[in-house]
Amino acid sequence: MNAFLEKAKNIHTIKEAEALLWDCIPSPLPSTKKALELSHFAHQGQKRKSGEPYIVHPILVAAITAEYSNDETMVQAALLHDVVEDTHYEIEDLKKEFGDDVTHLVEGLTKIVQIRDEKLIPSGSDERLINSALSFRKMLIASIKDIRVLVIKLCDRLHNMLTLDALPPHKQKRIAEETLVVYAPIAHRLGSSRMKNQLEDLSFYYIYPDDY
């Protein structure tokens, strides 16, 4: 794991997360600051399984996105990626504030969640994950035409893998298996060997701890 991701993994406060984001974007656009403010407001009071403020997650996803791309539209979408799914905000609210492009990316990210819910077997099922994960990956590649949406989703998954310690062992393994079958191959398909290797390494740690 490179130094940047190691740093992100050990960040648990809003102040530290924002500092990392602004390190990646020293001169942010006003709309990027606005996206951060809206995300703060929308996720106010929400907590992650680790107990830390939920807002830390989208900020760090945005920082990882900025590390991989200098496109601030993608960074803004990363900051807002859970707003429609997890808060009272509607997609039309984002369109009024941020325009069509950011809204299009957030819609794509929300669509991925919907496809996952449809295609991936629930965690309580005894059925093997592999078949539904392959179906999910196939549908994902077919449905999401904008590569930027997939890149942001990979950054989201990367941060989730960095913070997997907060979950019980059976969920850790299941999410790691999904990452290995679905997301690492997508990173490879997009030509990002760096992202692919990071996702694979983090997955192996939970699936094959002895070999790792």
Side-chain angles (χ1 to χ4, degrees), residues 173 203-212:
K173 186 174 181 182
S203 299
F204 286 153
Y205 175 79
Y206 290 100
I207 301 171
Y208 310 110
D210 294 337
D211 291 335
Y212 182 89

Side-chain angles (χ1 to χ4, degrees), residues 53-70:
Y54 190 87
I55 185 63
V56 171
H57 169 66
I59 295 173
L60 290 177
V61 173
I64 294 170
T65 301
E67 179 74 359
Y68 278 90
S69 170
N70 60 4

Side-chain angles (χ1 to χ4, degrees), residues 18 21-22 30-46 54-55 58-59 75-99 102-103 106:
E18 288 182 348
L21 175 60
W22 301 139
S31 51
T32 302
K33 293 181 178 180
K34 185 178 179 181
L36 175 60
E37 290 171 6
L38 190 147
S39 190
H40 263 292
F41 184 78
H43 292 296
Q44 194 170 16
Q46 294 180 347
Y54 190 87
I55 185 63
I59 295 173
V75 174
Q76 291 165 30
L79 284 165
L80 300 166
H81 78 274
D82 280 333
V83 163
V84 174
E85 182 191 354
D86 292 340
T87 79
H88 66 278
Y89 278 89
E90 303 287 343
I91 202 72
E92 289 303 319
D93 298 324
L94 298 188
K95 188 173 287 190
K96 290 174 188 174
E97 296 290 336
F98 300 99
V102 171
T103 304
V106 175

Side-chain angles (χ1 to χ4, degrees), residues 6 12 23 47-48 54 59 67 80 89 105 107 115 117 121 134 143 151-152 165 195 199-200:
E6 188 66 47
H12 306 288
D23 280 346
K47 301 282 187 182
R48 297 196 83 202
Y54 190 87
I59 295 173
E67 179 74 359
L80 300 166
Y89 278 89
L105 296 178
E107 275 187 305
I115 296 171
D117 289 344
I121 57 173
L134 288 170
S143 301
V151 172
I152 299 166
D165 289 347
M195 177 76 80
L199 290 170
E200 284 182 342

